[in-house]
């Protein structure tokens, strides 16, 4: 029997982190493409001192009970941690880590890629070609919306919101509005951003991009009422978490022309079911939650997640510690 601490790693992650975990721990690494079922997860976590989890795993009281009282650390391989019951972990003295910063630029790049794809109808145009419909150059065809000097509304002006605003302002001269419970003086000074109430943001923005975390306040905040306040030329971008938009309401707003287009890196649920009516709309660009999928982001996430796990096992401060207080 190994004298190293027993941990469960719920999926293979890049070697930059996995090798550290394997060297320091008695690691059980889930080898499959799909996540373990709930039953298997609860079995495999039993007796572990640490877990390296993904956003696909629900880490709640039941999970912590199944692990046992020796569980010291939950290292989540994501910046978001809505899949982890932080209050419950804190009550039990379990440290929780996440992987911020290393994915900020990659995520903002993805949000901007979705913005330009949805605005300029890129995916729809490709489908048009592949369907054999491209017969000639069309003066009235494929008309999208302009980007230059328009207004972007950032919902959640944290690290990623700021990085998105910087791309919009610096590259395209956009005016920046933002909605957040905190003031972001850096965004105000460097980008001329203006903090506004949500209704003003919805009413005045040409592009609305979501960068907030998922919590009880933001869940379903983009619903029929919100979409009806947006311009009918507006483009909605969500690269944060799917449940922040109401998917049925988004479908209806896109179909009825209440907004022009949407670009999503996240859906509710994930994966999006093949029968979801959103998949029938040409004005909705959807990616399978890939914003952090670049070499340096994923390597950086793997390293931080490994460091968080190992520090937590030793009772040391985590590099990125969610429940430090
Ligand atoms: C991905 O969505 C993350 O939170 O890192």
């Amino acid at each position: 029997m190994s004298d190293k601490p027993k941990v469960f790693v719920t999926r293979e992650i890049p070697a930059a982190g996995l090798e550290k975990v394997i060297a320091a721990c008695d690691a059980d690494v889930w080898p499959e493409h799909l996540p373990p079922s709930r039953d298997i997860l609860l079995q495999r976590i039993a007796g572990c001192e640490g877990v390296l989890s993904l956003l696909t795993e629900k880490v709640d009281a039941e999970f912590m009970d199944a692990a046992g009282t020796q569980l010291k650390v939950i290292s989540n391989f994501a910046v978001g941690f809505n899949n982890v019951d932080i209050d419950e972990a804190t009550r039990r003295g379990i440290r929780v880590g996440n992987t911020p910063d290393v994915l900020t630029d990659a995520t903002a790049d993805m949000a901007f890629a979705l913005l330009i794809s949805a605005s300029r109808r890129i995916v729809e145009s490709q489908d048009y070609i592949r369907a054999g419909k491209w017969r000639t150059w069309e003066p009235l065809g494929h008309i999208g919306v302009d980007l230059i000097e328009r207004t972007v509304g950032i919902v959640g002006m944290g690290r990623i919101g700021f990085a998105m605003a910087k791309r919009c302002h610096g590259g395209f001269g956009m005016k920046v509005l933002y909605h957040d419970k905190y003031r972001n003086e850096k965004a105000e000074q460097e980008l001329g951003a203006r903090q506004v109430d949500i209704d003003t943001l919805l009413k005045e923005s040409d592009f609305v991009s979501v960068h907030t975390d998922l919590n009880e306040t933001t869940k379903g905040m983009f619903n029929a009422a919100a979409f009806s306040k947006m311009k009918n030329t507006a483009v909605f971008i969500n690269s944060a978490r799917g449940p922040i938009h109401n998917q049925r309401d988004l479908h209806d707003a896109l179909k009825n022309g209440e907004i022009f287009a949407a670009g999503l890196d996240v859906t509710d649920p994930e994966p999006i079911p093949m029968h979801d009516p959103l998949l029938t709309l040409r004005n909705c660009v959807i990616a399978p939650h890939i914003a952090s999928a670049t070499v340096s982001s994923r390597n950086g996430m793997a390293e931080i997640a490994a460091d968080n796990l190992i520090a937590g096992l030793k009772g040391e401060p985590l590099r990125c510690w969610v429940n430090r207080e």
Side-chain angles (χ1 to χ4, degrees):
M1 229 182 87
S2 167
D3 55 358
K4 292 178 180 169
K6 186 175 163 208
V7 300
F8 185 45
V9 180
T10 67
R11 217 86 84 258
E12 272 186 49
I13 60 165
L18 195 57
E19 282 172 6
K20 284 188 182 194
V21 173
I22 290 171
C25 308
D26 172 12
D28 176 11
V29 182
W30 183 251
E32 296 185 21
H33 175 65
L34 293 181
S37 68
R38 183 73 180 169
D39 283 352
I40 292 182
L41 180 66
L42 298 183
Q43 280 165 29
R44 297 286 268 263
I45 189 67
C48 286
E49 288 182 51
V51 60
L52 197 152
S53 53
L54 268 57
L55 49 83
T56 41
E57 278 79 57
K58 189 167 183 202
V59 182
D60 56 2
E62 183 190 40
F63 178 103
M64 296 174 212
D65 284 341
T69 51
Q70 76 298 325
L71 183 67
K72 294 194 178 88
V73 57
I74 297 160
S75 173
N76 210 39
F77 183 79
V79 64
F81 42 80
N82 58 289
N83 59 309
V84 181
D85 186 339
I86 302 295
D87 291 343
E88 188 60 36
T90 306
R91 246 190 310 281
R92 296 177 188 227
I94 301 169
R95 294 169 191 217
V96 181
N98 71 336
T99 63
D101 300 322
V102 289
L103 46 63
T104 298
D105 283 317
T107 305
D109 287 347
M110 186 67 195
F112 197 82
L114 289 167
L115 187 155
I116 203 162
S117 305
S119 301
R120 297 303 309 273
R121 307 173 65 166
I122 306 280
V123 175
E124 179 193 341
S125 298
Q126 177 170 282
D127 291 346
Y128 181 85
I129 294 175
R130 292 196 167 160
K133 293 183 184 162
W134 186 16
R135 308 284 299 282
T136 184
W137 190 85
E138 298 169 49
L140 299 177
H142 316 286
I143 308 289
V145 299
D146 293 291
L147 273 71
I148 202 81
E149 293 176 358
R150 308 298 290 280
T151 297
V152 64
I154 303 284
V155 179
M157 187 59 100
R159 290 172 289 242
I160 301 171
F162 180 87
M164 174 63 166
K166 196 170 159 188
R167 283 155 176 72
C168 295
H169 181 73
F172 290 78
M174 287 191 209
K175 186 168 129 190
V176 179
L177 302 178
Y178 75 100
H179 179 70
D180 198 307
K181 60 183 170 196
Y182 303 107
R183 192 166 162 208
N184 188 324
E185 286 181 27
K186 187 170 172 227
E188 293 182 11
Q189 279 157 18
E190 291 181 19
L191 312 175
R194 189 158 62 88
Q195 188 174 22
V196 292
D197 59 67
I198 188 70
D199 281 0
T200 305
L201 182 141
L202 296 174
K203 208 163 85 203
E204 293 184 11
S205 299
D206 298 298
F207 308 102
V208 173
S209 192
V210 182
H211 302 281
T212 179
D213 58 336
L214 171 63
N215 56 48
E216 282 316 308
T217 319
T218 60
K219 187 164 184 218
M221 96 183 259
F222 282 90
N223 56 14
F227 293 123
S228 72
K229 290 175 190 156
M230 288 168 61
K231 299 183 184 182
N232 54 23
T233 50
V235 176
F236 173 73
I237 306 299
N238 188 359
S239 57
R241 284 292 181 269
I244 297 173
H245 63 247
N246 177 309
Q247 207 146 288
R248 168 60 69 168
D249 291 355
L250 174 60
H251 166 270
D252 293 349
L254 286 165
K255 191 168 169 113
N256 301 334
E258 279 182 86
I259 63 173
F260 179 75
L264 309 176
D265 187 46
V266 289
T267 60
D268 182 25
E270 288 181 6
I272 188 168
M274 288 310 291
H275 57 77
D276 191 307
L278 210 48
L279 293 176
T280 65
L281 298 183
R282 52 154 192 76
N283 55 345
C284 188
V285 177
I286 312 180
H289 204 148
I290 59 169
S292 67
T294 68
V295 174
S296 75
S297 290
R298 288 285 165 86
N299 284 343
M301 290 166 71
E303 278 185 42
I304 298 175
D307 291 349
N308 284 342
L309 181 74
I310 294 163
L313 293 168
K314 292 184 186 154
E316 291 172 0
L318 309 198
R319 208 171 134 187
C320 304
W321 193 351
V322 173
N323 59 348
R324 178 193 286 269
E325 297 310 320

PDB file of all heavy atoms in Angstrom, residues 94-112:
ATOM      1  N   ILE A  94     -12.831  21.857   4.480  1.00  0.00           N
ATOM      2  CA  ILE A  94     -12.187  21.361   3.250  1.00  0.00           C
ATOM      3  C   ILE A  94     -11.795  22.565   2.383  1.00  0.00           C
ATOM      4  O   ILE A  94     -12.626  23.437   2.128  1.00  0.00           O
ATOM      5  CB  ILE A  94     -13.159  20.445   2.463  1.00  0.00           C
ATOM      6  CG1 ILE A  94     -13.591  19.259   3.331  1.00  0.00           C
ATOM      7  CG2 ILE A  94     -12.537  19.983   1.155  1.00  0.00           C
ATOM      8  CD1 ILE A  94     -14.747  18.453   2.745  1.00  0.00           C
ATOM      9  N   ARG A  95     -10.552  22.595   1.954  1.00  0.00           N
ATOM     10  CA  ARG A  95     -10.096  23.715   1.120  1.00  0.00           C
ATOM     11  C   ARG A  95     -10.533  23.509  -0.329  1.00  0.00           C
ATOM     12  O   ARG A  95     -10.487  22.379  -0.831  1.00  0.00           O
ATOM     13  CB  ARG A  95      -8.574  23.812   1.171  1.00  0.00           C
ATOM     14  CG  ARG A  95      -8.100  24.187   2.553  1.00  0.00           C
ATOM     15  CD  ARG A  95      -6.611  24.026   2.704  1.00  0.00           C
ATOM     16  NE  ARG A  95      -6.330  24.166   4.129  1.00  0.00           N
ATOM     17  CZ  ARG A  95      -5.278  24.751   4.645  1.00  0.00           C
ATOM     18  NH1 ARG A  95      -4.345  25.237   3.856  1.00  0.00           N
ATOM     19  NH2 ARG A  95      -5.125  24.851   5.943  1.00  0.00           N
ATOM     20  N   VAL A  96     -10.915  24.618  -0.965  1.00  0.00           N
ATOM     21  CA  VAL A  96     -11.338  24.540  -2.364  1.00  0.00           C
ATOM     22  C   VAL A  96     -10.452  25.463  -3.200  1.00  0.00           C
ATOM     23  O   VAL A  96     -10.242  26.629  -2.841  1.00  0.00           O
ATOM     24  CB  VAL A  96     -12.816  24.958  -2.532  1.00  0.00           C
ATOM     25  CG1 VAL A  96     -13.254  24.850  -3.997  1.00  0.00           C
ATOM     26  CG2 VAL A  96     -13.738  24.124  -1.639  1.00  0.00           C
ATOM     27  N   GLY A  97      -9.921  24.919  -4.303  1.00  0.00           N
ATOM     28  CA  GLY A  97      -9.081  25.723  -5.195  1.00  0.00           C
ATOM     29  C   GLY A  97      -9.699  25.834  -6.582  1.00  0.00           C
ATOM     30  O   GLY A  97     -10.487  24.981  -6.991  1.00  0.00           O
ATOM     31  N   ASN A  98      -9.318  26.887  -7.311  1.00  0.00           N
ATOM     32  CA  ASN A  98      -9.754  27.052  -8.714  1.00  0.00           C
ATOM     33  C   ASN A  98      -8.556  27.508  -9.555  1.00  0.00           C
ATOM     34  O   ASN A  98      -7.436  27.587  -9.037  1.00  0.00           O
ATOM     35  CB  ASN A  98     -10.948  28.014  -8.804  1.00  0.00           C
ATOM     36  CG  ASN A  98     -10.582  29.459  -8.516  1.00  0.00           C
ATOM     37  OD1 ASN A  98      -9.591  29.734  -7.845  1.00  0.00           O
ATOM     38  ND2 ASN A  98     -11.389  30.386  -8.993  1.00  0.00           N
ATOM     39  N   THR A  99      -8.796  27.782 -10.837  1.00  0.00           N
ATOM     40  CA  THR A  99      -7.666  28.072 -11.747  1.00  0.00           C
ATOM     41  C   THR A  99      -7.864  29.385 -12.515  1.00  0.00           C
ATOM     42  O   THR A  99      -8.013  29.373 -13.741  1.00  0.00           O
ATOM     43  CB  THR A  99      -7.488  26.916 -12.757  1.00  0.00           C
ATOM     44  OG1 THR A  99      -8.672  26.842 -13.571  1.00  0.00           O
ATOM     45  CG2 THR A  99      -7.261  25.587 -12.085  1.00  0.00           C
ATOM     46  N   PRO A 100      -7.857  30.517 -11.819  1.00  0.00           N
ATOM     47  CA  PRO A 100      -8.077  31.790 -12.507  1.00  0.00           C
ATOM     48  C   PRO A 100      -6.846  32.277 -13.288  1.00  0.00           C
ATOM     49  O   PRO A 100      -5.791  31.641 -13.249  1.00  0.00           O
ATOM     50  CB  PRO A 100      -8.376  32.745 -11.350  1.00  0.00           C
ATOM     51  CG  PRO A 100      -7.625  32.184 -10.193  1.00  0.00           C
ATOM     52  CD  PRO A 100      -7.633  30.682 -10.376  1.00  0.00           C
ATOM     53  N   ASP A 101      -6.989  33.418 -13.939  1.00  0.00           N
ATOM     54  CA  ASP A 101      -5.927  34.192 -14.620  1.00  0.00           C
ATOM     55  C   ASP A 101      -5.397  33.547 -15.900  1.00  0.00           C
ATOM     56  O   ASP A 101      -5.380  34.197 -16.934  1.00  0.00           O
ATOM     57  CB  ASP A 101      -4.745  34.501 -13.675  1.00  0.00           C
ATOM     58  CG  ASP A 101      -5.214  35.325 -12.475  1.00  0.00           C
ATOM     59  OD1 ASP A 101      -6.079  36.211 -12.674  1.00  0.00           O
ATOM     60  OD2 ASP A 101      -4.777  35.054 -11.341  1.00  0.00           O
ATOM     61  N   VAL A 102      -4.972  32.269 -15.799  1.00  0.00           N
ATOM     62  CA  VAL A 102      -4.342  31.639 -16.965  1.00  0.00           C
ATOM     63  C   VAL A 102      -5.302  31.475 -18.148  1.00  0.00           C
ATOM     64  O   VAL A 102      -4.866  31.209 -19.265  1.00  0.00           O
ATOM     65  CB  VAL A 102      -3.733  30.264 -16.597  1.00  0.00           C
ATOM     66  CG1 VAL A 102      -2.509  30.434 -15.735  1.00  0.00           C
ATOM     67  CG2 VAL A 102      -4.761  29.374 -15.905  1.00  0.00           C
ATOM     68  N   LEU A 103      -6.599  31.606 -17.900  1.00  0.00           N
ATOM     69  CA  LEU A 103      -7.555  31.447 -19.004  1.00  0.00           C
ATOM     70  C   LEU A 103      -8.262  32.754 -19.354  1.00  0.00           C
ATOM     71  O   LEU A 103      -9.151  32.776 -20.209  1.00  0.00           O
ATOM     72  CB  LEU A 103      -8.581  30.343 -18.679  1.00  0.00           C
ATOM     73  CG  LEU A 103      -9.223  30.347 -17.293  1.00  0.00           C
ATOM     74  CD1 LEU A 103     -10.033  31.567 -17.023  1.00  0.00           C
ATOM     75  CD2 LEU A 103     -10.035  29.093 -17.102  1.00  0.00           C
ATOM     76  N   THR A 104      -7.843  33.850 -18.739  1.00  0.00           N
ATOM     77  CA  THR A 104      -8.538  35.122 -18.968  1.00  0.00           C
ATOM     78  C   THR A 104      -8.500  35.533 -20.442  1.00  0.00           C
ATOM     79  O   THR A 104      -9.536  35.822 -21.048  1.00  0.00           O
ATOM     80  CB  THR A 104      -7.900  36.225 -18.092  1.00  0.00           C
ATOM     81  OG1 THR A 104      -8.070  35.852 -16.728  1.00  0.00           O
ATOM     82  CG2 THR A 104      -8.540  37.578 -18.340  1.00  0.00           C
ATOM     83  N   ASP A 105      -7.296  35.552 -21.033  1.00  0.00           N
ATOM     84  CA  ASP A 105      -7.191  36.008 -22.425  1.00  0.00           C
ATOM     85  C   ASP A 105      -7.857  35.033 -23.381  1.00  0.00           C
ATOM     86  O   ASP A 105      -8.548  35.452 -24.317  1.00  0.00           O
ATOM     87  CB  ASP A 105      -5.718  36.219 -22.801  1.00  0.00           C
ATOM     88  CG  ASP A 105      -5.205  37.529 -22.206  1.00  0.00           C
ATOM     89  OD1 ASP A 105      -5.939  38.536 -22.261  1.00  0.00           O
ATOM     90  OD2 ASP A 105      -4.088  37.537 -21.660  1.00  0.00           O
ATOM     91  N   ALA A 106      -7.663  33.739 -23.132  1.00  0.00           N
ATOM     92  CA  ALA A 106      -8.273  32.745 -24.036  1.00  0.00           C
ATOM     93  C   ALA A 106      -9.796  32.873 -24.014  1.00  0.00           C
ATOM     94  O   ALA A 106     -10.460  32.769 -25.049  1.00  0.00           O
ATOM     95  CB  ALA A 106      -7.851  31.342 -23.620  1.00  0.00           C
ATOM     96  N   THR A 107     -10.350  33.128 -22.834  1.00  0.00           N
ATOM     97  CA  THR A 107     -11.812  33.224 -22.727  1.00  0.00           C
ATOM     98  C   THR A 107     -12.318  34.500 -23.393  1.00  0.00           C
ATOM     99  O   THR A 107     -13.330  34.488 -24.106  1.00  0.00           O
ATOM    100  CB  THR A 107     -12.237  33.139 -21.249  1.00  0.00           C
ATOM    101  OG1 THR A 107     -11.693  31.946 -20.701  1.00  0.00           O
ATOM    102  CG2 THR A 107     -13.751  33.115 -21.099  1.00  0.00           C
ATOM    103  N   ALA A 108     -11.592  35.591 -23.185  1.00  0.00           N
ATOM    104  CA  ALA A 108     -12.003  36.840 -23.837  1.00  0.00           C
ATOM    105  C   ALA A 108     -11.866  36.717 -25.359  1.00  0.00           C
ATOM    106  O   ALA A 108     -12.705  37.214 -26.111  1.00  0.00           O
ATOM    107  CB  ALA A 108     -11.164  38.008 -23.305  1.00  0.00           C
ATOM    108  N   ASP A 109     -10.824  36.030 -25.816  1.00  0.00           N
ATOM    109  CA  ASP A 109     -10.671  35.806 -27.265  1.00  0.00           C
ATOM    110  C   ASP A 109     -11.879  35.045 -27.812  1.00  0.00           C
ATOM    111  O   ASP A 109     -12.395  35.349 -28.887  1.00  0.00           O
ATOM    112  CB  ASP A 109      -9.408  34.978 -27.566  1.00  0.00           C
ATOM    113  CG  ASP A 109      -8.121  35.781 -27.381  1.00  0.00           C
ATOM    114  OD1 ASP A 109      -8.187  37.014 -27.258  1.00  0.00           O
ATOM    115  OD2 ASP A 109      -7.047  35.139 -27.345  1.00  0.00           O
ATOM    116  N   MET A 110     -12.303  34.044 -27.056  1.00  0.00           N
ATOM    117  CA  MET A 110     -13.443  33.225 -27.502  1.00  0.00           C
ATOM    118  C   MET A 110     -14.717  34.067 -27.532  1.00  0.00           C
ATOM    119  O   MET A 110     -15.501  33.974 -28.486  1.00  0.00           O
ATOM    120  CB  MET A 110     -13.608  32.042 -26.546  1.00  0.00           C
ATOM    121  CG  MET A 110     -14.650  31.058 -26.976  1.00  0.00           C
ATOM    122  SD  MET A 110     -14.134  30.206 -28.499  1.00  0.00           S
ATOM    123  CE  MET A 110     -15.685  29.486 -28.979  1.00  0.00           C
ATOM    124  N   ALA A 111     -14.908  34.874 -26.496  1.00  0.00           N
ATOM    125  CA  ALA A 111     -16.103  35.734 -26.465  1.00  0.00           C
ATOM    126  C   ALA A 111     -16.084  36.662 -27.679  1.00  0.00           C
ATOM    127  O   ALA A 111     -17.105  36.862 -28.345  1.00  0.00           O
ATOM    128  CB  ALA A 111     -16.139  36.534 -25.162  1.00  0.00           C
ATOM    129  N   PHE A 112     -14.898  37.185 -27.983  1.00  0.00           N
ATOM    130  CA  PHE A 112     -14.818  38.099 -29.139  1.00  0.00           C
ATOM    131  C   PHE A 112     -15.009  37.338 -30.451  1.00  0.00           C
ATOM    132  O   PHE A 112     -15.655  37.843 -31.382  1.00  0.00           O
ATOM    133  CB  PHE A 112     -13.498  38.882 -29.133  1.00  0.00           C
ATOM    134  CG  PHE A 112     -13.614  40.063 -30.029  1.00  0.00           C
ATOM    135  CD1 PHE A 112     -14.226  41.225 -29.569  1.00  0.00           C
ATOM    136  CD2 PHE A 112     -13.237  39.979 -31.350  1.00  0.00           C
ATOM    137  CE1 PHE A 112     -14.437  42.295 -30.433  1.00  0.00           C
ATOM    138  CE2 PHE A 112     -13.444  41.045 -32.220  1.00  0.00           C
ATOM    139  CZ  PHE A 112     -14.037  42.205 -31.754  1.00  0.00           C
TER     140      PHE A 112
END
